[in-house]
């Protein structure tokens, strides 16, 4: 896939809809989304919608990814947790925007594919774990930012507790057909929640319940 298709995606789907953070736009121009989808869908890699990635899961729509990344206001020194690695596309973008990325995926086959794609692109600041992301990664906490790519029915308490003071979390919350992005900022031990765009994600499945 050429840079032209990616540039077109960035201009028409992101910039034209109000995404303005230059670091996010640059990262989305650099990361090849086609490297994270399988052959039958590669020609559609820069289109304005999610795509299947196996195990009934999907790679997120570029615009929704951009909204989530922009809301986190990542700094180059940040340590980030991602829940729901899926294809690894957002993982790669986080690797461009932050210092260190820890990512958890409950389907081992998807985690393995994502590791391969991430390694092929040469990222060395990423670790992908297979497991239940609702538990977070206590051994690597606290995090400056947490990005959850699957819909939580309610906020997972373990994730809130692994956010450092001043840290941000973006997470879709709600039932399967009506979710809303919530941006949470930890302030003096209290989560401050602001409601963002309505979205539709696959469910966050906790192995604990
Ligand atoms: N950002 C990813 C989105 C993948 S879809 C991409 O663009 O490719 C969401 C992913 O969350 C799915 O792969 C699903 O298996 C995973 N998931 C759902 N519940 C999970 C949980 N409790 N822990 C870790 N991953 C989970």
């Amino acid at each position: 896939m050429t840079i032209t298709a990616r540039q077109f995606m960035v201009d028409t789907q992101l910039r034209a809809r109000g995404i303005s953070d230059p670091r996010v736009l640059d990262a989305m121009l650099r990361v090849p989304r086609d490297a994270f989808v399988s052959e039958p869908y590669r020609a559609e890699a820069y289109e304005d919608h999610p795509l299947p990635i196996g195990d009934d899961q999907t790679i997120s729509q570029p615009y929704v990814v951009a909204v989530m990344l922009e809301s986190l206001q990542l700094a180059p020194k940040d340590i980030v947790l991602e829940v729901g690695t899926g294809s690894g596309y957002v993982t790669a973008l986080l690797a461009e925007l932050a210092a260190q990325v820890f990512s958890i995926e409950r389907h081992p086959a998807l985690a393995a594919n994502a590791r391969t794609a991430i390694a092929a692109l040469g990222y060395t600041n990423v670790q992908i774990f297979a497991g239940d992301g609702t538990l977070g990664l206590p051994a690597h906490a606290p995090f400056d930012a947490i990005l959850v790519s699957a819909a939580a029915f309610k906020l997972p308490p373990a994730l809130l507790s692994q956010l450092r003071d001043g840290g941000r979390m973006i997470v879709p919350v709600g039932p399967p057909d009506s979710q809303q992005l919530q941006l949470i900022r930890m302030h003096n031990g209290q989560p401050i929640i602001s409601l963002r765009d309505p979205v539709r994600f696959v469910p966050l499945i906790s192995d604990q319940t």
Side-chain angles (χ1 to χ4, degrees), residues 1-183:
M1 194 60 56
T2 63
I3 185 80
T4 319
R6 211 139 74 221
Q7 180 77 61
F8 189 72
M9 172 192 89
V10 168
D11 290 342
T12 61
Q13 299 173 33
L14 311 184
R15 222 186 292 270
R17 290 182 185 146
I19 304 295
S20 61
D21 181 336
R23 295 188 72 231
V24 170
L25 292 168
D26 279 358
M28 293 193 68
L29 203 50
R30 275 198 300 275
V31 175
R33 193 169 183 257
D34 52 286
F36 295 90
V37 296
S38 57
E39 189 48 61
Y41 301 104
R42 218 156 270 167
E44 295 173 60
Y46 295 96
E47 290 185 13
D48 193 14
H49 50 72
L51 289 168
I53 55 170
D55 281 318
D56 286 334
Q57 307 301 323
T58 55
I59 181 171
S60 309
Q61 180 193 10
Y63 173 69
V64 173
V65 172
V67 166
M68 294 176 84
L69 291 173
E70 189 168 61
S71 74
L72 287 177
Q73 296 184 294
L74 294 170
K77 60 165 188 32
D78 282 352
I79 313 289
V80 180
L81 174 69
E82 178 188 31
V83 175
T85 318
S87 65
Y89 175 58
V90 176
T91 323
L93 290 163
L94 291 170
E96 294 271 350
L97 292 165
Q100 189 71 42
V101 183
F102 298 94
S103 187
I104 316 177
E105 168 55 53
R106 67 182 290 273
H107 282 289
L110 290 179
N113 285 347
R115 268 187 216 112
T116 304
I118 287 284
L121 291 173
Y123 293 106
T124 54
N125 58 341
V126 172
Q127 284 183 58
I128 298 174
F129 300 81
D132 181 2
T134 61
L135 303 176
L137 283 176
H140 296 284
F143 300 101
D144 297 294
I146 301 178
L147 186 152
V148 184
S149 279
F153 203 74
K154 62 182 186 58
L155 288 176
L159 297 183
L160 279 177
S161 74
Q162 291 174 32
L163 209 49
R164 77 157 172 78
D165 208 52
R168 292 84 57 207
M169 171 157 71
I170 187 82
V171 49
V173 180
D177 50 353
S178 76
Q179 306 142 20
Q180 195 164 14
L181 284 178
Q182 293 194 3
L183 178 67

